[in-house]
Amino acid sequence: MTKNFCNRTRREFLWQAGGGFTGLAMAGMLDKSFLNGQETTADGSARWQNPRWQNPLASKPPHFAPKAKSVIFLFMYGGPSHMDTFDYKPAMIGMDNKTIEVKTFGRGGHKNTGRIVEPRWKFKQHGACGKWVSELFPNVATCVDDIAFLHSMTADSPIHGSAMLQMNSGKIQSGSPCLGSWVNYGLGSENENMPGFVVMLDGSGGPISGPKNWASGYMPATYQGVVIRSEGTAILDLKRPDALSDPAQRRMLDSLRTYNESHEMAHPGNSQLAARIASYELAYKMQSTAPETVDLSQESEETKKLYGVDKKSTRYFGRQCLMARRLVERGVRFIQIYSGGAHNDSNWDAHGDLVANHTKHAGETDQPVAALLKDLKQRGLLDETLVVWGGEFGRQPTAEYAEGTGRDHNAYGFTMWMAGGGIKGGKSFGKTDELGAEAVEDRLHVRRVHATILHQLGLDPNQLAYFYGGLDQRLVGVKDTQPIHQIIA
């Protein structure tokens, strides 16, 4: 296959198939180079056996029996305040506006003193476990017996961009595959008609750093996330041009596949071509399957009401959570939904008016999140679906400015939670100090959450590797990283 033919077919296919989806899973594949020797499977040693081409998204066996089949990561972009949501701090009550000595590090730099902002919402105990939950989350509070709360989370950066990259990829620098890509690479997809990794963004826009948060880094582009919209056209530019018939498109794809397979046989060990073929085929299949997935008219009015689709404040996030359940039912491995986008009060980044900010975002997400947990449970899907909730960091117990209730970023201690997928319910693990300033008991780094997610999917986090740059790269890094066994059932 000559260079000129490659360039011509690339231009023709990008025009025929549309630039939106190809930008996510095809075009990058054509121009992106990576180590030719990458032929190993998820265990880092076994070789692909197919002498022609191996579909990179073909379902692969896990390292051991999994507890979960899918993951839904509810990402609260901006950093929700743990002491105003799920980390009850009664010692702060009555301390409002009192200046104390406390070490903090956020957007405003290092500080040794600060003015206390007392929690702005009351807490009550819920469930058989007696978990204290803020009145910000009355619906999630009814699900605490199914949730394991992680109160001693820590991260390496208090800055949004790098902190989000670490929560998504394990590293504060860009260029590494994100969590969903590692899952796609390690297990493949159970549904050949849908992506294995789906991302849904907030209605206000995407988060800071944008596509880096769902990129495949040094892995083939096939493994990166595909952005799906919950309203209107599910995937931009996926629809076949009116002038191109289905038989004509099928013939074109078959021709491309023949040339690519021939070229692959002459260049064994280069996974680009297999990824390219798989991307073309997936896009073709999605033209019919993606619209059906987002068609919520198939759901009962009772179900849509459960998710809050009938109310303006919860409609958008409610549709996304309901779609997440439908995607899980269709075998999608990893789904990430963002609450909050753009900047300032469009997300959970409460630097100004804490009450207005968190009331808005909790009000948009509380009912849909609880509905997702309850709906999965009543359908028998929660046991095999791991639901993760959290942001890139938490917030400080003290005010950022001389006046007001705004809190700065806090990577020293914050809260995340997990439910389903073999996780113990009604559990609280780890502690921050009496003000929530830093984790002081059973400290958990972000990589421990990643290790737990991989473990529940049947993947050994210390064995799942991808050879790049002369090294066996791992999501959890070079150090042995254990899952959080204390919350695993």
Side-chain angles (χ1 to χ4, degrees):
M1 184 166 60
T2 66
K3 181 177 179 182
N4 288 338
F5 179 82
C6 289
N7 290 335
R8 179 172 58 83
T9 54
R10 168 170 31 188
R11 290 193 300 269
E12 289 175 351
F13 187 81
L14 293 180
W15 171 256
Q16 301 275 10
F21 181 81
T22 57
L24 289 170
M26 298 181 208
M29 196 73 268
L30 297 175
D31 293 315
K32 185 178 180 182
S33 63
F34 48 88
L35 198 64
N36 287 345
Q38 176 59 39
E39 294 179 278
T40 57
T41 55
D43 62 9
S45 58
R47 313 290 284 186
W48 297 123
Q49 299 300 315
N50 194 323
R52 289 180 68 79
W53 73 279
Q54 174 73 32
N55 182 354
L57 293 178
S59 183
K60 308 182 186 86
H63 296 147
F64 48 83
K67 296 288 184 69
K69 293 182 178 179
S70 301
V71 176
I72 300 175
F73 195 142
L74 306 170
F75 201 114
M76 306 294 112
Y77 164 49
S81 172
H82 47 294
M83 70 281 297
D84 291 291
T85 54
F86 302 111
D87 195 2
Y88 182 45
K89 297 300 175 186
M92 295 180 70
I93 298 174
M95 295 182 67
D96 205 37
N97 290 316
K98 181 179 180 180
T99 299
I100 63 167
E101 292 186 3
V102 59
K103 291 184 178 180
T104 58
F105 178 35
R107 185 180 70 171
H110 290 275
K111 296 179 181 179
N112 295 316
T113 62
R115 175 175 60 87
I116 288 288
V117 175
E118 185 178 316
R120 285 329 200 227
W121 293 270
K122 294 181 180 179
F123 279 68
K124 292 182 180 179
Q125 287 182 287
H126 296 270
C129 64
K131 175 64 182 174
W132 290 90
V133 178
S134 160
E135 59 187 0
L136 265 176
F137 288 95
N139 290 288
V140 173
T142 66
C143 303
V144 292
D145 288 332
D146 293 315
I147 296 174
F149 294 89
L150 307 174
H151 290 305
S152 52
M153 291 300 306
T154 65
D156 295 334
S157 173
I159 306 303
H160 290 296
S162 52
M164 288 196 72
L165 287 176
Q166 182 169 61
M167 188 60 71
N168 281 314
S169 73
K171 295 181 174 61
I172 60 175
Q173 303 94 348
S174 60
S176 296
C178 60
L179 176 58
S181 297
W182 280 103
V183 172
N184 246 1
Y185 163 65
L187 294 175
S189 176
E190 289 188 329
N191 186 341
E192 295 184 354
N193 299 324
M194 287 295 293
F197 176 19
V198 165
V199 177
M200 287 182 272
L201 304 178
D202 189 86
S204 63
I208 195 169
S209 301
K212 291 180 181 180
N213 291 292
W214 51 90
S216 57
Y218 44 74
M219 289 183 184
T222 304
Y223 296 119
Q224 69 186 26
V226 174
V227 177
I228 287 184
R229 304 196 303 174
S230 63
E231 296 180 330
T233 303
I235 301 175
L236 296 178
D237 299 319
L238 181 64
K239 182 180 178 182
R240 182 173 54 244
D242 293 336
L244 182 67
S245 68
D246 181 75
Q249 184 183 24
R250 183 67 264 172
R251 288 195 299 272
M252 179 186 67
L253 290 175
D254 289 342
S255 296
L256 284 172
R257 178 168 174 165
T258 298
Y259 283 115
N260 285 330
E261 286 183 352
S262 298
H263 193 59
E264 197 274 340
M265 291 183 69
H267 299 81
N270 188 333
S271 60
Q272 292 185 71
L273 291 166
R276 185 187 308 176
I277 296 168
S279 296
Y280 291 171
E281 293 297 327
L282 176 60
Y284 175 73
K285 293 173 182 177
M286 286 175 60
Q287 287 174 340
S288 60
T289 58
E292 183 273 336
T293 300
V294 301
D295 182 9
L296 300 189
S297 65
Q298 302 176 26
E299 299 289 337
S300 68
E301 292 303 316
E302 180 182 6
T303 297
K304 287 186 280 189
K305 187 174 182 180
L306 175 68
Y307 282 86
V309 175
D310 60 326
K311 295 187 293 188
K312 182 179 180 180
S313 61
T314 52
R315 184 174 187 270
Y316 198 89
F317 200 77
R319 286 181 61 89
Q320 292 178 317
C321 286
L322 180 50
M323 278 178 55
R325 190 219 78 206
R326 292 173 62 85
L327 289 167
V328 164
E329 289 177 317
R330 286 155 177 78
V332 176
R333 294 279 191 192
F334 197 94
I335 303 124
Q336 189 172 46
I337 308 175
Y338 283 89
S339 164
H343 301 287
N344 302 321
D345 284 328
S346 291
N347 56 62
W348 292 80
D349 196 21
H351 289 282
D353 189 335
L354 173 71
V355 174
N357 178 285
H358 276 33
T359 297
K360 167 182 167 59
H361 295 293
E364 292 174 346
T365 60
D366 173 49
Q367 181 180 344
V369 170
L372 176 62
L373 295 177
K374 293 175 180 178
D375 197 17
L376 288 171
K377 188 173 184 178
Q378 72 181 6
R379 293 170 186 267
L381 293 171
L382 186 59
D383 287 343
E384 59 187 39
T385 305
L386 178 59
V387 181
V388 182
W389 182 98
E392 62 268 39
F393 40 56
R395 308 207 79 81
Q396 297 174 7
T398 51
E400 183 172 4
Y401 306 117
E403 297 181 357
T405 59
R407 303 185 189 276
D408 202 349
H409 312 159
N410 183 4
Y412 288 159
F414 57 100
T415 293
M416 296 181 69
W417 59 253
M418 296 183 178
I423 296 295
K424 293 179 182 177
K427 180 81 173 178
S428 292
F429 182 74
K431 291 183 180 179
T432 52
D433 59 39
E434 62 181 8
L435 301 178
E438 64 175 325
V440 294
E441 183 178 309
D442 295 315
R443 290 166 57 89
L444 298 170
H445 191 271
V446 169
R447 68 175 69 94
R448 296 289 302 280
V449 168
H450 291 163
T452 304
I453 293 172
L454 293 180
H455 180 273
Q456 297 308 95
L457 289 168
L459 295 169
D460 185 333
N462 299 301
Q463 293 298 317
L464 181 65
Y466 187 94
F467 190 76
Y468 173 76
L471 297 171
D472 281 334
Q473 306 286 346
R474 295 179 177 85
L475 172 65
V476 296
V478 297
K479 294 183 179 180
D480 183 78
T481 303
Q482 292 299 309
I484 310 168
H485 291 290
Q486 295 87 341
I487 66 168
I488 296 174

